[in-house]
Amino acid sequence: MNLVAAIRGYFNAKKLSPYWEKVRAINALEPQISALSDAELRAKTEYFKQQLQSGHTLDDILPEAFAVVREAGQRVLNMRHFDVQLLGGMVLHEGRIAEMKTGEGKTLVATLPVYLNALLGQGVQVVTVNDYLAQRDAAWMGQLYTFLGLTVGVIVANLDFAARQAAYNADITYGTNNEFAFDYLRDNMATDQEQLVQRGKYYAIVDEVDSILIDEARTPLIISGQVEDSTDKYRRVLQAARLLQPGKYQTKEKAEEEKQPGGYQDFTLEEKSKHIALTEQGIQKAEKFLGIDSIFDIQEMDSAHMLIQCLKAVHLFKRDVDYIVKDDEVVIVDEFTGRLMTGRRYSDGLHQAIEAKENVRIQNESQTLASITFQNFFRMYQKLGGMTGTAKTEEMEFARIYNLAVLEIPTNQPVLRKDAADVIYKSKYEKYKAIVQDIKERHALGQPLLVGTISIEVSEHLSALLRKENIPHNVLNAKQHAREAEIIKNAGQRGAVTIATNMAGRGTDIVLGEGVTALGGLHVLGTERHESRRIDNQLRGRCGRQGDPGSSRFYISLEDDLMRIFGGQRISSMMERLGLPADTPIEHGIITSSIERAQKKVEQYHFSIRKQVLQYDDVVNRQRETIYALRHKLLMGKDVTEKIQEFLVKTNCLDKYKEKEAQIPPDILRNIERLVLLREIDRKWIDHLHNLDVLREGIGLRAYGQLDPLTEYKIEGFKLFQTMLGQIAEDTVETLLRVQVVHDLPPNIAENYHNMHYSGGELTLGLQSPMQGQARPPAKPEPRHAAEKIGRNDPCPCGSGKKYKNCHGAAR
């Protein structure tokens, strides 16, 4: 083991050799930089920016920039960067992971690459594990940045829109992984350019990178919304749908021309494409039955959508062919295999329409609006760096998933911690008895103890045992970040006993109290081994910082989950053969090695889970990038004429659209195209995410047919995506052909996305005054009601006696 460590240390030192040359260059600049006044030091920021604008690179100015940050840290924070911290800063700047032991000052290390990269003006983000650390580090290290003339923002939960947008526009932004990722998803749900808060993803440094990119990457982030309860409305609209009759001709005039007066009916349908279109007669019948002025008004647009879906349910989807009714539920029948697709649901309200038709319970469900994995989110950054005390055990995953290399940074002072071999007891009872005795003896001497557990339940059990022995102690859990940091900070004081879950206190240094060094420093006691070696190493790393003494030991029982699952029976049999009493522990390096082998197996299992999550999200990610890129183009006001022309060709109605182009000024029509396309993309994408969720749930069953579920998911997901794109094209064109401008509009109408409303089967746009002043948070403006315009069946104001739709309304 020592030979392996020596070889690894040799190669690591070889990798760091080029960095030491730069450290010497930075040190050579220190006398020159320290002689500058505060104003001259601050002026270096503008000087560096000019250097970059004139063609120099970040690497060119790195030595001097690092020297400036080191000097600023000494003046503002009374903290001077160690040489090894300069090493860590360079590793982070290059987009790698710097593994630095606990207490080596990673928070200060980050200021070096953060300042350097912020000079480009593209924004730098520092990612932390919780709001407390984000606020603490932004305020603490922010003093250094503001002294050098840079701006600092912080993103935390429940931050209002204006403050959030301002924080992202700062040179440097601190925040949590959750907030950054959720803001990205929310930005890609915005309907207006002014609702965006984030800017480009240039460079991010992830603190506690193993916690964020490994531990929290097992499940994707999801924004979901509750679907409105529309049970009664579906039943009502279904009644209207049953009144309508299909026909061959969409206009009365066309039917009379073909001498088929009975052929003019309420709607037309195409069974092959399962497409239904309402006629004017059908619209009037439905409006009369439902008691509404216009089925296409924005307040009733759900009714129009429901009506089409109910018509499909009645006329295009057949019971015991397309679906069956089983246990009061509508179950889809696979059209290719004839198998029941339990759990699958038709999208876009069609399933609810069929449920209404069959008079079974109409289910309401939450709907995925947007989702992404942390892996795919952080891979979007042009450059990504990370820092932690424990990354080597996950080195392979960092390389494969994130293309991040791990470099071990040497400590500023030699590590004096003594790690004792694990002790194993036959039962948990004997183990806890020994733990309490060890705590009792060390506490009597005044030596501080940090007791690590892997669950709150164990923490409470151990706390109860210590109370019986009248041993004062503190118990921490990960939910109380602010209190946690304060208690952890004092965990090194004489006589302190602190019980903490495995992740408690990260990001906070434990400083030894007076006289504790002579007692052997902080002692870390692990109550059992974690599934991951990395978590155990984190616990051990809490002691022995910056050359301080320290010690650690893990207590294990054969009843612990890890031992029970991996190899515990063999050790138990050995203890019985040796005839050892139950309270006699086994302590040997071979036992510790076997436990670590068991941990490796568990780590590989969890890696396979994270890898599978990523593989499935990669399928969605390529589709997400396509949709989000198109949305961004629309929000930025880019011309989408080419895309619209592509849709028109696909749907064969190019000539009809030319007539529409002749009626509406080009600048106005281009804006209308953007608004309509944006709305259709959002509606279809949400339905598509739902379909993918359902597909993902059942795709594993394909393995029984000797098929690879992931391959099948890729194939089926691609088919669904192509279908969605076709629906976007079809519905966009259909809406644009109905569009009608009710009065002159200014060219910039993007902010009036929500002011679209329907009348007489045609999309119309009405405007309120353009918004003034600062950007506003997402809000839904009040729509203009149908009563504010002339109804299509109202008398024409010109006095002709004709209906408006047959007179001046027709010209519109």
Side-chain angles (χ1 to χ4, degrees), residues 273-556:
S273 62
K274 294 188 180 296
H275 179 73
I276 285 181
L278 290 167
T279 65
E280 285 291 325
Q281 179 173 294
I283 291 170
Q284 291 176 18
K285 279 188 179 180
E287 289 172 347
K288 184 177 181 180
F289 179 85
L290 295 173
I292 56 181
D293 292 332
S294 172
I295 200 173
F296 290 103
D297 187 81
I298 193 169
Q299 291 182 310
E300 299 295 341
M301 60 189 303
D302 285 345
S303 299
H305 181 69
M306 286 182 183
L307 182 59
I308 295 294
Q309 298 301 71
C310 286
L311 286 169
K312 288 181 180 180
V314 173
H315 297 280
L316 295 175
F317 288 81
K318 296 179 174 58
R319 182 171 178 169
D320 297 330
V321 176
D322 298 296
Y323 64 90
I324 66 167
V325 176
K326 181 181 178 183
D327 299 329
D328 200 39
E329 289 187 6
V330 171
V331 183
I332 301 173
V333 176
D334 190 299
E335 62 178 315
F336 299 106
T337 65
R339 294 194 181 103
L340 297 182
M341 304 172 74
T342 305
R344 295 282 295 271
R345 291 178 64 80
Y346 292 117
S347 64
D348 214 19
L350 177 59
H351 210 95
Q352 286 89 341
I354 296 175
E355 287 169 334
K357 167 191 170 184
E358 298 296 341
N359 199 28
V360 298
R361 182 171 62 90
I362 300 177
Q363 298 183 25
N364 267 339
E365 50 197 350
S366 62
Q367 198 167 29
T368 299
L369 305 179
S371 71
I372 195 171
T373 59
F374 279 127
Q375 292 99 323
N376 274 322
F377 173 73
F378 282 106
R379 291 196 302 192
M380 288 190 290
Y381 282 91
Q382 295 180 41
K383 187 165 66 171
L384 183 68
M387 50 189 184
T388 181
T390 48
K392 270 294 178 181
T393 56
E394 315 293 343
E395 186 173 19
M396 181 183 68
E397 183 168 353
F398 283 124
R400 288 186 180 180
I401 304 300
Y402 302 100
N403 195 30
L404 286 171
V406 178
L407 265 71
E408 293 179 83
I409 307 300
T411 56
N412 186 52
Q413 298 288 339
V415 178
L416 302 179
R417 186 184 71 233
K418 297 178 180 178
D419 297 326
D422 299 350
V423 288
I424 302 179
Y425 289 83
K426 200 167 185 179
S427 69
K428 285 186 178 181
Y429 172 78
E430 298 297 337
K431 179 183 74 170
Y432 285 123
K433 183 178 176 182
I435 287 173
V436 171
Q437 185 61 31
D438 191 358
I439 294 173
K440 189 175 181 179
E441 291 174 0
R442 293 179 185 273
H443 177 66
L445 295 173
Q447 183 178 19
L449 293 103
L450 178 64
V451 184
T453 67
I454 66 170
S455 69
I456 294 175
E457 180 184 6
V458 173
S459 295
E460 292 174 346
H461 173 65
L462 189 56
S463 176
L465 295 177
L466 294 182
R467 285 198 299 270
K468 287 182 180 179
E469 298 292 332
N470 295 317
I471 298 175
H473 61 279
N474 287 305
V475 181
L476 297 180
N477 62 63
K479 297 177 181 178
Q480 299 170 320
H481 299 303
R483 179 174 175 269
E484 170 186 317
E486 285 301 313
I487 294 177
I488 279 291
K489 190 186 298 183
N490 296 317
Q493 300 303 306
R494 187 182 182 95
V497 178
T498 309
I499 302 175
T501 52
N502 48 40
M503 296 301 292
R506 296 191 68 183
T508 306
D509 286 340
I510 298 177
V511 181
L512 299 184
E514 186 177 351
V516 171
T517 299
L519 298 173
L522 177 68
H523 180 69
V524 168
L525 190 155
T527 58
E528 63 186 286
R529 283 281 197 162
H530 194 272
E531 289 179 342
S532 170
R533 292 168 295 162
R534 180 169 46 84
I535 305 300
D536 291 341
N537 291 338
Q538 289 169 7
L539 180 60
R540 274 199 166 117
R542 303 307 297 163
C543 65
R545 61 179 292 280
Q546 286 293 326
D548 289 339
S551 56
S552 70
R553 182 189 289 276
F554 281 85
Y555 284 78
I556 300 168

Side-chain angles (χ1 to χ4, degrees), residues 634-650:
L634 294 169
L635 287 181
M636 295 299 107
K638 300 291 180 62
D639 193 343
V640 293
T641 303
E642 185 177 337
K643 179 63 68 176
I644 298 298
Q645 291 296 317
E646 177 187 321
F647 289 172
L648 292 167
V649 171
K650 282 183 179 179

Side-chain angles (χ1 to χ4, degrees), residues 97 206-214 385-388 391 398 404:
I97 293 175
V206 183
D207 192 11
E208 307 297 359
V209 66
D210 53 333
S211 175
I212 291 173
L213 298 190
I214 301 294
M387 50 189 184
T388 181
F398 283 124
L404 286 171

Side-chain angles (χ1 to χ4, degrees), residues 74 101 119 132 137 217 322 375 452 459 542 615 650 789:
Q74 195 162 347
K101 302 295 183 187
L119 294 171
Y132 166 75
D137 293 352
D322 298 296
Q375 292 99 323
S459 295
R542 303 307 297 163
Q615 286 173 330
K650 282 183 179 179
K789 61 182 182 299

